[in-house]
Amino acid sequence: MKFMKQLAIIMVISFIAEIMEVLIPLPIAASVYGLVLMLIGLVTKIIPLEKVEGAADFLIEIMPILFVPPTVSLIANVEALKQMLVPLFVISIVTTVLIMAVTGRVTQGIMRHDGKNRDSIGQKEEQQ
């Protein structure tokens, strides 16, 4: 029963996100609205992590299964994709490298910022 409640919370947030997609005239997918709503709920503690953790872990575990239908669809339409193979390949490589670079830079920035904060806290403690 606990699992059903956790899944219901996630589904309600997804439903609200779908409504937001219809009501807000921006080109943003409902899944993005849902992720933002969930993030806000978790950060503000409106939704305690324990209330969704089990269902979220389950959904992450079964995620590979969710990629089977799109993969089968791609294989079924391979003839249509042959025309776009080179552009898709180039786009995939360029965006992957770009995402890796940006993620690395952001991570380095966060680590530097966190290190400076720890150093300044240590110095303040030594002064006292």
Side-chain angles (χ1 to χ4, degrees):
M1 191 63 164
K2 180 180 176 182
F3 185 74
M4 294 301 285
K5 288 180 184 178
Q6 292 180 1
L7 198 55
I9 292 170
I10 293 172
M11 291 301 150
V12 167
I13 289 173
S14 296
F15 181 69
I16 293 169
E18 292 289 338
I19 292 171
M20 289 175 69
E21 182 184 29
V22 172
L23 296 178
I24 301 173
L26 294 173
I28 299 174
S31 57
V32 175
Y33 285 125
L35 287 171
V36 170
L37 288 174
M38 182 63 80
L39 176 66
I40 291 169
L42 290 170
V43 168
T44 60
K45 307 281 191 219
I46 293 171
I47 303 169
L49 179 60
E50 304 80 41
K51 297 285 185 184
V52 294
E53 189 173 20
D57 288 342
F58 170 74
L59 291 172
I60 289 172
E61 287 174 11
I62 67 165
M63 189 180 290
I65 297 169
L66 302 176
F67 286 102
V68 171
T71 304
V72 170
S73 178
L74 285 173
I75 292 170
N77 296 310
V78 73
E79 290 301 321
L81 291 173
K82 280 184 179 178
Q83 301 168 2
M84 300 181 288
L85 192 59
V86 172
L88 287 174
F89 183 73
V90 170
I91 290 169
S92 296
I93 297 299
V94 169
T95 55
T96 299
V97 170
L98 184 65
I99 288 170
M100 289 172 62
V102 169
T103 303
R105 291 299 221 177
V106 169
T107 303
Q108 287 176 342
I110 290 171
M111 290 172 67
R112 283 189 195 119
H113 180 71
D114 188 42
K116 288 179 184 177
N117 283 345
R118 287 185 184 180
D119 289 343
S120 65
I121 291 171
Q123 289 174 356
K124 288 179 185 176
E125 289 176 355
E126 288 176 6
Q127 291 174 356
Q128 294 175 356

